[in-house]
Amino acid sequence: MVHDETMLDGNARLNLATFVTTWMDDEAKQLYADAFDKNMIDKDEYPQTAAIEQYCQRILAELWHAPDPAASPATSTIGSSEACMLAGLALKRRWQHAREAAGADTAKPNLVMSSAVQVCWEKFCNYFEVEPRFVPVSDEHPWLDGSQLDQYVDERTIGVVAILGVTYTGAYEDVAGIQAALDEIERTRGLDVPIHVDGASGAMIAPFLQPELVWDFRLPRVASINTSGHKYGLVYPGLGWVVWRDAAALPESMVFRVSYLGGDMPTLALNFSRPGAQVLLQFYLFLRLGREGYTRIQDGSREVAMHLSAGIAAMDPFELVSDGSTIPVFAWRLRHGWSGNWNLFDLSDRLRMRGWLVPAYPMPADLEQITVQRIVVRNGLSMDLAESLLDVIREEVAYLEALDAPLPRPTRTGGFAH
């Protein structure tokens, strides 16, 4: 009966709305099945799984150029949202400790970020009583680049969030530019503000496809970085990572100590019981693929994304908002004044009828008048499938273009939730 119910979900491989991995090889599936029962938190019962978690943490710390990868505090999490919560709490706790040491009050902390930030940061601010300060995106500044920070940062700012892979368009925010702006703020106003990089997607793309881009711990203000193992880390859902620059970036007050193989192991997490299988899958991929394998896979996804974006751009009704050259994600919009008979929500509905989930949604605050449609290319979306999708889009666009009156009952809803 349950199998029959889940048939109604559709085909996950054709879901181009999600960033989350929908394909792994047969060896990974067997490893997953063998590790269903492992609880990541129970380090005494599963010491080798705990050791493998540490291997992965050090690999990521080295990948992101931590000064001393072996000494960088880190943890696996259920996903990037939990990782962001922990990183945000560390920023808040560091700020509180510094204020207390200076004899200042610790009321009304704030966090500065782009208005295009992922919703988990709004949740963090809500749950942990931090004022969110959203720097609005605009046509002139479509992502956070540091140019407006001076208006938002003050002595109660716990940090600035930079997004490496904006969910709306796939763009990288200018982490180096943000650091330069914060350096100037410290020079002129004496405020030392750290950066957290939300690399949910981009932190597992940039090291392989844009190794020359300086966005990580090579920038001294970057205190912490998170990523999703279950996105471009290529693991099935349920895995995130957060790494701090060094012990000074993670307040000791957040760390719990547990006995481990006769020694002492620091641990921190919001969840107490969570699966260990995904951590083993991540290590499996690190071993199996290495830098060369990850580079080939991510480059293949980017090639498919750019092939699709070129095909979309060649269709008369559309213009690209991004082309998939950063992370393998791109978005497009209808040309201004193109048609009064249909919109991108109608096209999204038509594609859903054909089995493809390609979301349409308004851009964030201050650009909400612009509606875009977005495709996320993941490992498993082959060039052959991409060409099939382009054929379907051409057919559905031809259908919509042939309308001589608007479709009944406008299909626009609240939009896609990030």
Side-chain angles (χ1 to χ4, degrees), residues 309-380:
S309 68
I312 297 290
M315 300 181 200
D316 291 340
F318 304 130
E319 60 183 14
L320 293 180
V321 175
S322 55
D323 65 359
S325 58
T326 50
I327 61 174
V329 175
F330 69 94
W332 69 94
R333 58 189 288 185
L334 274 177
R335 294 188 186 278
H336 182 68
W338 181 262
S339 174
N341 291 338
W342 64 278
N343 57 34
L344 293 180
F345 296 99
D346 298 318
L347 177 57
S348 181
D349 283 349
R350 297 293 303 179
L351 294 178
R352 186 183 290 268
M353 294 177 195
R354 303 287 294 271
W356 293 96
L357 273 66
V358 183
Y361 50 86
M363 289 287 279
D366 300 297
L367 284 178
E368 64 269 18
Q369 74 280 6
I370 299 173
T371 296
V372 299
Q373 200 158 6
R374 186 194 69 193
I375 285 177
V376 177
V377 175
R378 304 180 306 278
N379 187 29

Side-chain angles (χ1 to χ4, degrees), residues 157-377:
T157 299
I158 65 174
V160 174
V161 175
I163 312 170
L164 202 71
V166 176
T167 54
Y168 290 89
T169 62
Y172 290 161
E173 293 191 329
D174 183 3
V175 187
I178 292 168
Q179 171 166 285
L182 291 174
D183 286 347
E184 180 63 16
I185 288 172
E186 182 173 19
R187 188 186 69 80
T188 58
R189 298 166 59 191
L191 303 176
D192 183 11
V193 179
I195 297 170
H196 172 76
V197 178
D198 183 350
S201 302
M204 289 303 292
I205 293 290
F208 306 109
L209 299 189
Q210 299 97 12
E212 73 290 343
L213 181 67
V214 179
W215 61 274
D216 53 15
F217 292 123
R218 287 170 287 184
L219 298 171
R221 284 194 186 276
V222 174
S224 50
I225 300 170
N226 71 275
T227 198
S228 288
H230 60 217
K231 292 180 181 174
Y232 289 108
L234 309 181
V235 175
Y236 279 139
L239 182 63
W241 299 95
V242 56
V243 178
W244 285 269
R245 166 181 291 278
D246 50 33
L250 177 65
E252 180 64 25
S253 60
M254 286 181 60
V255 179
F256 290 82
R257 303 281 172 181
V258 298
S259 176
Y260 167 63
L261 293 181
D264 179 67
M265 170 171 280
T267 180
L268 66 156
L270 296 178
N271 293 284
F272 195 73
S273 293
R274 54 187 170 86
Q278 285 88 343
V279 171
L280 301 182
L281 291 176
Q282 186 76 86
F283 189 53
Y284 163 76
L285 289 176
F286 285 167
L287 289 177
R288 179 169 187 141
L289 299 176
R291 281 182 180 266
E292 180 183 355
Y294 264 94
T295 300
R296 289 175 61 186
I297 286 174
Q298 313 298 37
D299 189 51
S301 294
R302 180 173 63 176
E303 184 180 357
V304 171
M306 295 190 72
H307 175 76
L308 281 168
S309 68
I312 297 290
M315 300 181 200
D316 291 340
F318 304 130
E319 60 183 14
L320 293 180
V321 175
S322 55
D323 65 359
S325 58
T326 50
I327 61 174
V329 175
F330 69 94
W332 69 94
R333 58 189 288 185
L334 274 177
R335 294 188 186 278
H336 182 68
W338 181 262
S339 174
N341 291 338
W342 64 278
N343 57 34
L344 293 180
F345 296 99
D346 298 318
L347 177 57
S348 181
D349 283 349
R350 297 293 303 179
L351 294 178
R352 186 183 290 268
M353 294 177 195
R354 303 287 294 271
W356 293 96
L357 273 66
V358 183
Y361 50 86
M363 289 287 279
D366 300 297
L367 284 178
E368 64 269 18
Q369 74 280 6
I370 299 173
T371 296
V372 299
Q373 200 158 6
R374 186 194 69 193
I375 285 177
V376 177
V377 175

